[in-house]
Amino acid sequence: MSQSPWQPISPAKPVRERKAPLTRERIVDAAMEVLRKEGYDGVSMRKVAQELKTGPASLYAHVANKRELDQLLVERANAQMVFDEPVDPTRWQEQLKALMREMLRAMRANPGVARAAIGAVPLGERALQTTERMLTLLKAGNLPDQAAAWAVDLIPLYVTAVAFEETVQSASDWTPQDVEEFVNGLRTFLAEQPADRFPLVVALAGPLTSGASGDERFEFGITVITAGLAALADRT
Amino acid sequence: MSQSPWQPISPAKPVRERKAPLTRERIVDAAMEVLRKEGYDGVSMRKVAQELKTGPASLYAHVANKRELDQLLVERANAQMVFDEPVDPTRWQEQLKALMREMLRAMRANPGVARAAIGAVPLGERALQTTERMLTLLKAGNLPDQAAAWAVDLIPLYVTAVAFEETVQSASDWTPQDVEEFVNGLRTFLAEQPADRFPLVVALAGPLTSGASGDERFEFGITVITAGLAALADRT
DNA sequence: ACCTGAACACCGTTCAAGT
DNA sequence: ACCTGAACACCGTTCAAGT
């Protein structure tokens, strides 16, 4: 019986799970995994390497340094934003708010990415799409070019700051009860200040400590920013 | 000749520069020094201890941990803000903008403090004064209580985010030339995008990359926020 | 009571040596 | 060309021992 032609010449050699070669793609995958599991501070070159069953030095063949890895994480989060509603110039304010909500959603879905995003200028394909959409909405609102351009800076800065603040707070592994207790303590602390020196702080201790969840505060923020931008529109 | 009465009993003992005892105050002084010299990332317990000619463990008798030290640095920066102009209700918008400028000035004077400030709830004496002043201005503008309270959150968040972004960028030890080169490269990059897919990005490449210094962008931001807040005023 | 040295469990990055 | 072990110069925090 002759050997079947598809038999390997040296059958003894086991498949030996030759590790899939490292690629940027796989490195970012692993980093996202660590990010989700341990937050931004958990993402070290060593941990990412460990996730890939190799040593930290191996990563440097594909990624210049930690900062570049951070940038790649931001691009991943950017790619997760979905803006499917066609631009409707008559609803530019509402659509701009929706865009900011979607930005926050994507950041929250990847806790820690906000920290990486804060100093970064996002220039990937998806980031440019988001920028183009922002500009379209702002020009629909009759903003002058320079105002629209600076708004493109202001909007992600605000959203990123909110997301980053949330991750800083949640990094201190507090339970919801801990947070509630902290907020209650805070309210009491403010209410007990000397009313002659801090009358409004005392009077508004309640409102000052409400909406801790963040959603209401964020809605307030995007409303203020949108209204402020609308006030800059060219009246023609 | 009798000994003068003020001669020490055992004159052999030299003054031996008995180190001034550690205090929170001295630790924060040292940390501010390191902060100014090396930025936020330079502020390690070890470096601060070294500045005080002791070991890192010694600090833990006075400061719970690094996070508490960060908080103390924020309070220092808060204490450097000066608001001497009396509140004038008719000029609340202008005075609110001036307050934000002063916040940014104090943060810039202590590069790195912004990073420490971003998740912190500032509750020191000086921070409460700033909060009281913000509330006074906002109520002068007829904002509802809840809007004023959330604005007290929004305003420092924005200023801190701007300051933090600046320190992240300047941390990468770039010279002004490097920055200019980067901005020029960025403008070219944007201008060269496919105009059919990113028409506004291409058309506004100039405005998008102008005002890199930050001051103009910051003025834009505080104008938008102030105008947006004004739009929420109760009309009575 | 306050301070300290030494240790523990971590970092990012580099580099010579291996395949 | 790609990967790796080992090393370098750092971290924050703890703790037993000293004064």
Side-chain angles (χ1 to χ4, degrees):
Chain A
M1 217 211 275
S2 72
Q3 252 189 261
S4 352
W6 59 82
Q7 280 288 337
I9 306 292
S10 48
K13 203 168 179 183
V15 181
R16 173 161 265 137
E17 48 160 331
R18 56 181 116 74
K19 284 193 226 171
L22 282 181
T23 61
R24 283 180 147 236
E25 203 61 14
R26 289 189 62 225
I27 290 172
V28 179
D29 285 344
M32 281 300 251
E33 192 57 31
V34 178
L35 191 68
R36 256 189 292 265
K37 278 193 303 210
E38 307 189 40
Y40 181 76
D41 286 334
V43 182
S44 65
M45 298 300 267
R46 298 172 117 89
K47 289 246 190 70
V48 173
Q50 204 175 55
E51 190 85 12
L52 294 163
K53 295 175 191 314
T54 183
S58 303
L59 306 183
Y60 286 85
H62 305 270
V63 163
N65 50 35
K66 178 88 195 318
R67 252 182 67 213
E68 188 176 300
L69 181 55
D70 282 355
Q71 294 262 6
L72 294 173
L73 291 172
V74 177
E75 284 188 20
R76 272 292 171 88
N78 264 308
Q80 288 176 12
M81 298 176 193
V82 179
F83 308 111
D84 44 11
E85 204 188 9
V87 170
D88 173 357
T90 67
R91 296 178 55 242
W92 73 273
Q93 296 194 42
E94 186 45 49
Q95 292 194 330
L96 194 61
K97 287 195 236 180
L99 181 146
M100 292 193 257
R101 283 187 207 106
E102 175 63 8
M103 277 185 154
L104 184 64
R105 191 201 57 73
M107 299 251 206
R108 280 179 172 164
N110 304 282
V113 110
R115 173 55 241 281
I118 220 158
V121 186
L123 295 172
E125 174 72 17
R126 302 299 296 266
L128 286 179
Q129 282 175 26
T130 307
T131 298
E132 182 71 24
R133 187 180 174 91
M134 279 192 278
L135 288 172
T136 308
L137 291 169
L138 293 161
K139 289 307 289 181
N142 277 324
L143 263 75
D145 284 356
Q146 188 62 74
W150 281 335
V152 158
D153 194 55
L154 172 63
I155 289 167
L157 180 67
Y158 172 66
V159 179
T160 306
V162 169
F164 179 46
E165 192 181 43
E166 285 182 6
T167 67
V168 168
Q169 281 158 2
S170 73
S172 47
D173 55 12
W174 283 14
T175 67
Q177 280 105 315
D178 291 334
V179 173
E180 203 189 310
E181 236 168 84
F182 174 76
V183 171
N184 287 337
L186 186 56
R187 178 162 38 239
T188 308
F189 174 82
L190 295 175
E192 284 172 349
Q193 293 301 307
D196 52 330
R197 295 175 50 226
F198 304 117
L200 288 168
V201 168
V202 172
L204 301 187
L208 281 167
T209 51
S210 95
S213 84
D215 282 329
E216 286 173 299
R217 290 173 117 93
F218 183 68
E219 283 300 318
F220 174 78
I222 65 182
T223 299
V224 167
I225 288 173
T226 307
L229 290 171
L232 298 181
D234 268 336
R235 302 183 201 301
T236 47
Chain B
M1 219 210 272
S2 71
Q3 251 186 263
S4 351
W6 60 82
Q7 280 289 336
I9 306 291
S10 49
K13 203 168 179 182
V15 183
R16 173 160 266 139
E17 48 159 330
R18 55 181 118 74
K19 282 192 223 172
L22 283 182
T23 60
R24 284 180 146 235
E25 203 61 15
R26 289 190 61 225
I27 290 171
V28 179
D29 286 344
M32 280 302 252
E33 192 57 31
V34 179
L35 191 68
R36 254 190 292 266
K37 278 193 303 209
E38 307 190 38
Y40 180 76
D41 285 333
V43 183
S44 65
M45 298 301 268
R46 297 172 117 91
K47 289 246 191 71
V48 173
Q50 205 175 56
E51 190 85 13
L52 294 163
K53 293 176 194 311
T54 182
S58 303
L59 307 183
Y60 286 85
H62 305 270
V63 162
N65 49 35
K66 177 89 196 316
R67 251 182 68 213
E68 189 176 298
L69 181 55
D70 282 355
Q71 294 263 7
L72 295 173
L73 291 173
V74 178
E75 284 188 20
R76 271 293 170 88
N78 264 309
Q80 288 175 12
M81 297 176 195
V82 179
F83 308 111
D84 44 12
E85 203 188 7
V87 170
D88 173 356
T90 66
R91 295 178 56 242
W92 72 273
Q93 295 193 43
E94 185 45 49
Q95 290 194 332
L96 194 61
K97 287 195 237 180
L99 181 146
M100 290 192 258
R101 281 186 209 107
E102 175 63 9
M103 279 185 153
L104 183 64
R105 191 201 57 73
M107 299 251 205
R108 279 179 173 164
N110 304 283
V113 110
R115 172 57 242 280
I118 219 156
V121 186
L123 295 173
E125 175 71 18
R126 303 299 296 267
L128 285 179
Q129 281 176 26
T130 306
T131 299
E132 182 70 24
R133 186 180 175 91
M134 278 192 277
L135 288 171
T136 309
L137 291 169
L138 293 161
K139 290 307 289 181
N142 277 324
L143 263 75
D145 285 356
Q146 189 62 75
W150 281 335
V152 158
D153 194 54
L154 172 63
I155 289 166
L157 179 66
Y158 173 66
V159 179
T160 305
V162 169
F164 179 46
E165 191 181 42
E166 286 181 5
T167 68
V168 168
Q169 282 160 2
S170 74
S172 48
D173 56 11
W174 284 14
T175 66
Q177 280 106 316
D178 291 334
V179 172
E180 203 190 309
E181 234 168 86
F182 174 76
V183 170
N184 286 339
L186 186 55
R187 178 164 36 241
T188 308
F189 174 82
L190 294 175
E192 284 172 350
Q193 292 302 307
D196 52 330
R197 295 175 51 225
F198 304 117
L200 289 168
V201 168
V202 172
L204 302 187
L208 281 168
T209 51
S210 95
S213 84
D215 281 329
E216 286 173 300
R217 290 173 116 92
F218 183 68
E219 283 300 316
F220 174 79
I222 65 182
T223 299
V224 167
I225 288 174
T226 307
L229 290 171
L232 298 180
D234 268 337
R235 302 180 202 301
T236 47

